[in-house]
Amino acid sequence: MTQKILRFMQDEIAAKSEICQLGGRVLHHFSPTALVAELPDNVDPTTLTESSAQPSQPLDAPTQLAVTAWTSQKMSSPPKGDGLPWDSPGFSHPKKTSVPSVPNPSGDRSEIQTFSTDTPTSLYMAGPVAVGIIIVSRNTGLENITNAESTKIIQEVQKGLDWLIGLEPKAQLSIVYDIRQVTVTTIPGAGVIGNLESFEQGWRDDALIQITNIPGRAGSLQYVNDLRTTRRTAWAYVAFFTKYPLGHFAYGGGERLVMSYANDSWGVDNIHRVFAHESCHIFGALDEYTPCKCEEISGHLKVPNHNCVACTGTHQADCIMNINSLEMCTFTRGQIGWDERLFPRLPLGSIQHSSTALHETGDDFEFSLASNKDLFAIKKQGGGTNTTEIHVLSAASNYQQFSLHTGTALHLTDKSWTFAVAANRDVIGIKKNGGASNSTEIHVLSAASGYTQFSLHTATALHVTDENWAFVIASNRDVFGIKKQGGASKTTEIHVLSAANGYTEFSLHTLTSLHQTDGSWAFAIATNRDLFCINKMGDGNLSTKPQELPSTEVHVLSAGDNYRSFDIEKGTALHPTPLNWEFAVTSERNLFGIKKQHTGSNSTEIHIVDFYSVTSEASTSRLKTSPD
Ligand SMILES: [Zn+2]
């Protein structure tokens, strides 16, 4: 059994680390100074030293709001309309909306649509999630939101999220709040019935400009991407609450949802349920009331909508996507990614080893991890098809089966080539030298064609490169060129080729806090663009478990400040990995090691190391910014 406790702290990392070490976890991060943790019943909270039951300093306004809301939660009788279908007479139903397009690298919408949720910022509901709550109040009139009403909103949001957290402990949901109370002077406009944007645009853009300086969808995307980067979460989305007239009382899609304070006939006491419903839309769930379609598939795992009333009739299971009830059906669970394949697997600090269905591999193979953790083995030479081949080990089979073996449109390749898998499973080939363009070239094998066609051949703004360069691909397909040595800055440098500009321009050139590196280093990129720099031959100076032993060490350069500082540097539970190892990082920030040879199992092995969630050494190892 467990207990749920509110804690206050000054050192966020130390407090979280202590909670993890005691076998607990953080459920709600209200702010850097307040959180709600779950602890095993046998832990006496008074023994915690890194956090306290009462604040030791005055709280800032958003923290105070969250704490007041949490501490004044009470058990209440079921709210109005409890158990009624969302489309009951006399009530309105919460909507799913499609999202307006934003420009993408190739200038069309094809890439955007390949994301199951229309956005890469919320593919499935597991792990740490940042939630921006923007309460938009007018300075005067009926649209003004009082502090008591803001407290009610936060309380309902907490209640909805707490329900989701508790509903599936294996998803290890951990919510990071960013609460904004924004006051605007927007005059309520005359919205056009049927046009949500016409009601929303004025006050929303005035609020977004205060926060990001960017109106429209670009502003909300910028905001959630910033949240994901600065709060280091796997996912992020934003909820707008307002009393301004809306085209519909609640709707959500893409990276954001919009709700009216009054919450239509359902009333304010049902905000938590409507908010949970819309949050499920954000992570891929479909409505289950008329006109839902049973055969429609949705979510990262492409799950059909078989609890839609059209196929269940009166046998429909109670579910947040069809009725006003705190229940969830199997199909909704699947659509939001609640499935063994996507749950963060590891207990803290552990290593998971596994053999795979692939024989031992050499330099003729290169590996890349897809967003669903399928492992792409790219066979550059020696395959039966006389092309560069793709062999996919499926995560669903725990790497015991292949989901694809195929030749490709690409000829045999050598060490002048390196590869990565994009979010839509396109395979991006980077030709470092020897191309006709006399630059580093990019050649994209399209997943949609079964890798039989290229969707892009291009020269880039980067000159030819050699073994001093490594490459990783961000989730938006930006190509990160990592210059390990020989740069003017005498550091490991990062040069980012921008996908939005067709790789003809750089969006970043920077030195980093990491000294020059060599072949004993590997690089991988996290979903929030943090760069994991892996020292395969760590000498033990950073290694603390056990203290004196060398290990594979990880130095995480923080995207939040353009790689000028380390988010964390520490040894891992993995021994030094001199040869025959490649590395990736999972969306839960676990280190994913691929051992290619001399494995003992006669197969290529995977070793997944829970690196990030054990941060007890962070504060001390941080002092050392330049490892030798
Ligand atoms: Zn809905």
Side-chain angles (χ1 to χ4, degrees):
M1 288 302 291
T2 55
Q3 50 188 321
K4 214 181 269 185
I5 54 170
L6 175 66
R7 304 294 291 180
F8 299 90
M9 66 277 183
Q10 290 178 19
D11 183 337
E12 186 183 10
I13 289 177
K16 287 195 285 191
S17 171
E18 184 181 47
I19 288 161
C20 287
Q21 284 176 342
L22 292 167
R25 68 187 187 104
V26 178
L27 308 181
H28 302 266
H29 303 249
F30 291 144
S31 75
T33 56
L35 58 77
V36 171
E38 182 181 71
L39 282 178
D41 265 347
N42 61 3
V43 173
D44 175 1
T46 63
T47 62
L48 270 63
T49 57
E50 298 294 346
S51 61
S52 53
Q54 296 298 328
S56 57
Q57 291 180 337
L59 301 174
D60 60 28
T63 309
Q64 186 62 61
L65 186 62
V67 167
T68 304
W70 183 261
T71 52
S72 56
Q73 296 270 12
K74 14 183 193 304
M75 299 296 289
S76 47
S77 47
K80 185 181 172 189
D82 180 49
L84 287 184
W86 291 117
D87 58 352
S88 297
F91 294 92
S92 301
H93 54 82
K95 263 190 188 172
K96 180 178 193 305
T97 50
S98 57
V99 289
S101 66
V102 287
N104 76 78
S106 52
D108 60 47
R109 274 185 53 81
S110 59
E111 256 173 62
I112 299 276
Q113 287 166 334
T114 62
F115 291 115
S116 55
T117 53
D118 279 328
T119 169
T121 51
S122 53
L123 295 182
Y124 53 90
M125 196 189 280
V129 177
V131 183
I133 302 147
I134 303 182
I135 299 172
V136 185
S137 172
R138 190 180 172 201
N139 61 328
T140 182
L142 294 173
E143 297 78 21
N144 181 262
I145 295 180
T146 66
N147 215 44
E149 288 164 340
S150 289
T151 305
K152 176 66 176 172
I153 291 168
I154 299 302
Q155 192 169 60
E156 289 287 318
V157 166
Q158 289 169 344
K159 201 168 169 183
L161 291 168
D162 202 57
W163 173 66
L164 287 166
I165 290 169
L167 195 59
E168 184 44 272
K170 285 182 179 175
Q172 293 189 39
L173 267 180
S174 179
I175 306 294
V176 178
Y177 293 72
D178 186 57
I179 298 170
R180 308 288 186 114
Q181 290 176 277
V182 179
T183 302
V184 297
T185 57
T186 323
I187 310 287
V192 179
I193 301 295
N195 181 343
L196 299 173
E197 176 72 6
S198 67
F199 285 90
E200 175 193 323
Q201 186 177 14
W203 59 263
R204 179 207 63 207
D205 283 353
D206 287 346
L208 277 174
I209 284 167
Q210 287 190 34
I211 295 170
T212 66
N213 226 6
I214 306 170
R217 190 177 179 210
S220 58
L221 276 171
Q222 177 77 43
Y223 174 63
V224 299
N225 280 316
D226 285 351
L227 272 188
R228 209 173 163 203
T229 301
T230 57
R231 307 308 301 273
R232 296 196 284 276
T233 58
W235 316 114
Y237 66 106
V238 54
F240 294 92
F241 285 88
T242 189
K243 285 188 174 177
Y244 277 94
L246 294 176
H248 194 76
F249 78 102
Y251 51 94
E255 74 290 342
R256 52 134 217 181
L257 63 89
V258 179
M259 287 185 63
S260 75
Y261 177 75
N263 202 29
D264 194 64
S265 319
W266 302 104
V268 293
D269 290 338
N270 272 311
I271 288 175
H272 66 292
R273 298 178 179 197
V274 174
F275 177 78
H277 175 103
E278 297 298 349
S279 297
C280 288
H281 279 318
I282 299 279
F283 286 88
L286 295 172
D287 285 321
E288 295 175 347
Y289 52 82
T290 308
C292 55
K293 295 191 194 70
C294 304
E295 68 277 13
E296 193 173 351
I297 57 169
S298 189
H300 195 64
L301 297 173
K302 299 190 168 59
V303 172
N305 206 25
H306 286 178
N307 194 44
C308 162
V309 70
C311 42
T312 61
T314 55
H315 301 291
Q316 191 178 35
D318 287 352
C319 181
I320 191 81
M321 300 316 288
N322 62 29
I323 67 171
N324 176 21
S325 169
L326 294 177
E327 307 283 342
M328 191 183 288
C329 75
T330 326
F331 299 97
T332 297
R333 293 173 81 96
Q335 287 171 350
I336 63 173
W338 282 1
D339 181 288
E340 293 295 340
R341 284 169 281 176
L342 297 178
F343 290 144
R345 289 179 187 220
L346 300 168
L348 300 175
S350 71
I351 296 186
Q352 172 189 308
H353 306 267
S354 177
S355 62
T356 70
L358 180 63
H359 53 72
E360 292 199 354
T361 47
D363 287 345
D364 50 339
F365 273 86
E366 200 176 305
F367 292 87
S368 185
L369 199 61
S371 55
N372 73 344
K373 299 191 184 71
D374 280 357
L375 185 62
F376 277 55
I378 317 281
K379 186 166 170 60
K380 297 159 96 173
Q381 304 217 342
T385 63
N386 208 30
T387 67
T388 292
E389 296 179 351
I390 297 174
H391 303 268
V392 180
L393 284 161
S394 89
S397 73
N398 201 24
Y399 309 101
Q400 303 309 304
Q401 288 173 19
F402 289 95
S403 59
L404 181 71
H405 290 287
T406 187
T408 70
L410 182 62
H411 53 70
L412 298 174
T413 46
D414 60 16
K415 68 178 168 50
S416 69
W417 286 77
T418 186
F419 296 91
V421 181
N424 72 347
R425 300 170 82 89
D426 282 356
V427 169
I428 299 180
I430 296 159
K431 184 163 174 58
K432 295 158 88 169
N433 54 64
S437 69
N438 205 29
S439 73
T440 293
E441 296 178 354
I442 293 175
H443 303 267
V444 180
L445 285 162
S446 95
S449 72
Y451 308 105
T452 61
Q453 289 173 26
F454 289 95
S455 58
L456 180 71
H457 289 287
T458 188
T460 70
L462 180 62
H463 54 70
V464 295
T465 47
D466 59 18
E467 70 281 0
N468 287 325
W469 287 75
F471 291 89
V472 296
I473 312 277
S475 53
N476 73 345
R477 301 170 82 107
D478 281 356
V479 169
F480 279 54
I482 298 147
K483 186 168 192 181
K484 299 194 271 187
Q485 49 179 281
S489 70
K490 301 289 181 205
T491 70
T492 293
E493 297 179 353
I494 298 176
H495 303 266
V496 180
L497 286 163
S498 149
N501 292 316
Y503 306 111
T504 56
E505 287 173 28
F506 290 96
S507 58
L508 179 70
H509 289 287
T510 187
L511 55 83
T512 69
S513 298
L514 182 64
H515 57 69
Q516 299 193 77
T517 47
D518 60 20
S520 63
W521 288 72
F523 299 87
I525 192 164
T527 47
N528 73 346
R529 300 167 79 93
D530 280 358
L531 188 68
F532 279 52
C533 309
I534 298 135
N535 183 0
K536 296 157 82 175
M537 296 294 288
D539 59 12
N541 274 346
L542 285 174
S543 168
T544 52
K545 254 184 203 179
Q547 196 90 36
E548 67 280 5
L549 289 180
S551 75
T552 294
E553 294 171 354
V554 181
H555 307 256
V556 180
L557 283 167
S558 168
D561 69 351
N562 275 341
Y563 311 101
R564 298 306 182 94
S565 72
F566 290 108
D567 176 41
I568 182 171
E569 299 181 85
K570 66 191 285 285
T572 69
L574 187 64
H575 56 73
T577 46
L579 297 168
N580 308 317
W581 283 74
E582 292 187 28
F583 288 94
V585 57
T586 70
S587 55
E588 300 85 21
R589 300 172 79 91
N590 290 322
L591 188 64
F592 192 104
I594 300 123
K595 186 174 189 185
K596 299 167 76 173
Q597 286 184 331
H598 312 300
T599 58
S601 65
N602 290 324
S603 77
T604 293
E605 290 180 352
I606 57 166
H607 297 247
I608 307 176
V609 183
D610 174 47
F611 155 72
Y612 202 79
S613 55
V614 180
T615 51
S616 55
E617 294 81 24
S619 8
T620 46
S621 57
R622 263 181 186 198
L623 299 174
K624 185 168 178 177
T625 54
S626 185
D628 299 312

